Amino acid sequence: MKILLVSSEVAPFSKTGGLADVAGSLPTALRKLARVDARVVSPLYRMAKTSGFKIEKIKEVKGVPGFKDLAPFDLLQSKINSTTFYFIGKDEYYDRDGLYGTSQTDHPDNPQRFSFLCRAALAAMTDVEFYPDIIHTNDWETALIPVYRNIALSENHPLKKSKVLFSVHNLAYQGLFPREKTSDIGLTDQALDSITQWGKVSFIKSGIVFSDAINTVSKKYAKEILTQEFGCGLEGLLKNRKNDLYGILNGADYSDWNPETDKLIPVNYDARTLEKKAVCKSKLMSEMGLDLPVTAPLIGSVGRLTEQKGVDIITDSIDEILNAGAGLILLGKGEERYESVLKRVAAEKAGKVGISIDFNNRLAHMIEAGVDMFIMPSRYEPCGLNQMYSLKYGTIPVVRATGGLDDTIIDYSSDPESGNGFKFEKADAGDFIDTVKRAIKSFGNKDEWSRLQRRGMELDFSWKRSAREYVSLYKKVAG
Ligand code: ADP
């Protein structure tokens, strides 16, 4: 079976969030599991150029049947673990800071940048004659692919037979653009009409309406998005595709996220040498300027600073967290309003709170290894990766019961036999703080806590499990 993953970000070349991890890990897991030839296409961003990985130009692509009016571009490639990663080189679109925009605003030419990615991916595969059974598209940035397949390709074009799977990693990001900004993206008026919603051209609508199947990154989120609360206005369209809608939890890449082998943490440890985690904790505390005993509960968080992630729930709770004797370490980048609040908190609570407004992979690993509890008070969470990483690091997740967080974390207080973390229902500071306090209470009982840690470390959220589910979904969709 041949699979082409088209993604607007792919680790380790470019990353803003979990999508990059999926695109970077799933292809290799598929090949190992079932000898699937899975390749990836993504843009050659400035971030990819400076990632330190060798990326070689294969050729310039131009004049491909079906895409004769598409501007020429470079096709490049890199191989990691025998997986082929293709890159679309088009400097005017991708050689700039910020994958999608800056913390203030989106790049104004995003409709051009990502429609180009979709068309170039199809043109490039035609050129190199890689004809996948499934084109696996991801989020709005690659959601136009089925429209181009349907209208740009002639009936005898080999890619016409490829089926399209559309993965929704986050329904809130839809790629909505005023019609006048989309006059040059290679779509007829009729095609643009078919993907218009609320008077705007909606890239995500194309994925929902024209793909052969849709999936989301957890079973719970697949159900949630059919409701008004989580559907972001798309619940009606999604309900029409209910029979083609699936949920597959993302995996954790344990070659990258494993305390036994992690090169980015001060000492390695496993379930038998858990006491070494204290070394990671004290190094992290000193790096972040925390002045607390190493026995104090240390709470951490890593993530985009957006409303989705409940950053305000965290900031509203800081005093109570500190009053409970805990220290707090936060790493994140995102909306300006949250960045400025957090900078102020960092200055006011120095010594007890360490905050880094940055995107820093090394520090993210240090935090997973160094903190005792990892908080994720998300308003919604399609899958969430950090709770799975946390479990592997003996770091106990404290999460809101939504999406993938609900699918992966069992509340310890209500189920002491199989609980692996702490979970709360309401997206408010009250419920969150009560749950953090429950966790802190258990932390006070060392035997209980280390049992909980070891239980989490033994769980398997690897890509192998997810890849198995993807293989059967691909087979089903390919028919
Ligand atoms: P989302 O995709 O919604 O951002 P996920 O939990 O699925 O959330 O994935 C987030 C990924 O991005 C994780 O691997 C996390 O460690 C990483 N990440 C997020 N913010 C940062 C940051 N500021 N620095 C380093 N890594 C980050």
Side-chain angles (χ1 to χ4, degrees):
M1 187 160 40
K2 290 188 206 154
I3 306 293
L4 182 72
L5 245 123
V6 193
S7 175
S8 59
E9 53 186 89
V10 57
F13 307 99
S14 57
K15 173 165 169 174
T16 68
L19 170 58
D21 292 329
V22 177
S25 305
L26 177 59
T28 306
L30 287 166
R31 193 175 42 72
K32 282 194 190 148
L33 180 78
R35 297 219 201 103
V36 172
D37 183 359
R39 308 184 190 184
V40 184
V41 184
S42 73
L44 184 71
Y45 297 110
R46 181 172 295 169
M47 195 191 260
K49 283 185 177 179
T50 56
S51 63
F53 290 89
K54 197 165 126 196
I55 301 177
E56 287 177 321
K57 180 170 165 178
I58 309 176
K59 64 196 318 193
E60 188 187 33
V61 178
K62 57 181 171 192
V64 174
F67 301 96
K68 291 240 181 323
D69 60 336
L70 192 67
F73 62 92
D74 286 340
L75 181 65
L76 304 95
Q77 92 172 26
S78 182
K79 284 208 179 198
I80 297 183
N81 297 325
S82 309
T83 296
T84 301
F85 295 89
Y86 293 112
F87 295 88
I88 305 297
K90 188 79 180 156
D91 284 352
E92 63 183 280
Y93 287 150
Y94 308 128
D95 188 8
R96 58 176 86 163
D97 289 337
L99 268 48
Y100 310 109
T102 63
S103 62
Q104 275 84 36
T105 171
D106 289 344
H107 293 314
D109 55 351
N110 277 349
Q112 285 68 36
R113 298 171 75 230
F114 293 108
S115 60
F116 190 86
L117 172 64
C118 295
R119 300 167 82 197
L122 295 175
M125 292 310 104
T126 308
D127 201 90
V128 298
E129 298 182 9
F130 182 71
Y131 303 124
D133 301 286
I134 303 283
I135 305 176
H136 183 167
T137 61
N138 297 277
D139 281 348
W140 72 263
E141 293 88 349
T142 54
L144 290 184
I145 284 190
V147 174
Y148 292 125
R149 175 198 60 180
N150 292 356
I151 66 166
L153 304 179
S154 62
E155 280 313 313
N156 57 3
H157 194 294
L159 285 176
K160 197 87 171 178
K161 288 204 219 82
S162 300
K163 298 282 198 263
V164 177
L165 172 66
F166 180 52
S167 283
V168 176
H169 298 260
N170 193 332
L171 202 62
Y173 299 91
Q174 303 186 354
L176 283 174
F177 304 104
R179 180 94 170 209
E180 61 274 15
K181 294 232 163 138
T182 58
S183 55
D184 58 350
I185 65 170
L187 291 178
T188 58
D189 278 344
Q190 199 189 1
L192 288 170
D193 285 345
S194 70
I195 58 167
T196 292
Q197 194 173 30
W198 308 305
K200 290 190 171 169
V201 171
S202 166
F203 279 30
I204 201 171
K205 183 174 176 183
S206 159
I208 295 173
V209 174
F210 296 112
S211 297
D212 299 287
I214 305 164
N215 82 303
T216 69
V217 287
S218 66
K219 292 195 171 32
K220 178 89 187 255
Y221 191 59
K223 287 198 193 109
E224 286 175 336
I225 59 175
L226 298 176
T227 67
Q228 202 182 0
E229 185 185 354
F230 294 95
C232 303
L234 298 169
E235 58 275 13
L237 286 177
L238 285 162
K239 274 189 202 150
N240 292 340
R241 301 295 318 267
K242 210 172 145 201
N243 294 335
D244 302 312
L245 177 62
Y246 303 86
I248 300 179
L249 198 69
N250 287 335
D253 186 344
Y254 292 139
S255 67
D256 197 16
W257 294 94
N258 181 348
E260 276 184 69
T261 50
D262 192 331
K263 292 194 178 59
L264 301 174
I265 60 177
V267 289
N268 292 116
Y269 61 90
D270 59 21
R272 282 156 312 174
T273 55
L274 203 42
E275 66 286 351
K276 289 193 196 161
K277 187 169 160 64
V279 179
C280 300
K281 182 173 176 178
S282 83
K283 285 258 192 249
L284 175 69
M285 284 168 86
S286 66
E287 178 171 331
M288 298 300 284
L290 260 66
D291 184 17
L292 286 167
V294 77
T295 48
L298 186 62
I299 296 175
S301 152
V302 178
R304 289 181 295 110
L305 302 176
T306 60
E307 194 182 353
Q308 175 202 344
K309 301 287 178 185
V311 185
D312 52 321
I313 297 176
I314 298 178
T315 50
D316 287 351
S317 312
I318 287 179
D319 285 337
E320 289 227 48
I321 289 176
L322 301 187
N323 288 342
L328 183 64
I329 289 182
L330 304 177
L331 165 65
K333 225 172 138 55
E335 289 173 32
E336 172 97 56
R337 56 183 171 148
Y338 295 126
E339 291 191 356
S340 56
V341 172
L342 287 175
K343 279 180 195 154
R344 205 182 60 231
V345 171
E348 283 170 9
K349 318 270 182 197
K352 290 187 166 178
V353 175
I355 297 180
S356 174
I357 306 293
D358 190 13
F359 193 94
N360 182 336
N361 187 44
R362 186 194 62 84
L363 188 54
H365 282 250
M366 289 277 292
I367 292 174
E368 283 294 4
V371 302
D372 300 301
M373 295 149 213
F374 196 99
I375 48 174
M376 300 180 78
S378 304
R379 292 205 157 71
Y380 67 94
E381 193 60 78
C383 175
L385 292 170
N386 279 110
Q387 81 280 16
M388 298 193 248
Y389 302 156
S390 295
L391 289 169
K392 200 35 124 202
Y393 284 75
T395 295
I396 306 303
V398 177
V399 306
R400 176 152 182 265
T402 183
L405 298 176
D406 203 24
D407 282 352
T408 48
I409 302 304
I410 302 167
D411 184 56
Y412 178 70
S413 313
S414 24
D415 187 350
E417 293 306 312
S418 44
N420 57 7
F422 294 85
K423 201 154 75 169
F424 62 99
E425 293 289 333
K426 274 199 262 146
D428 65 38
D431 225 10
F432 172 58
I433 270 293
D434 288 348
T435 312
V436 170
K437 285 183 181 162
R438 276 198 278 133
I440 290 177
K441 188 153 177 263
S442 291
F443 177 77
N445 180 333
K446 292 298 158 218
D447 289 342
E448 181 183 344
W449 192 257
S450 59
R451 260 200 315 278
L452 185 56
Q453 288 177 299
R454 290 198 171 89
R455 183 182 292 164
M457 293 172 93
E458 278 162 18
L459 295 173
D460 178 13
F461 287 107
S462 65
W463 269 108
K464 195 170 170 190
R465 187 189 43 80
S466 314
R468 201 171 287 134
E469 289 188 55
Y470 270 107
V471 170
S472 44
L473 178 57
Y474 291 149
K475 283 186 180 156
K476 199 170 189 170
V477 178

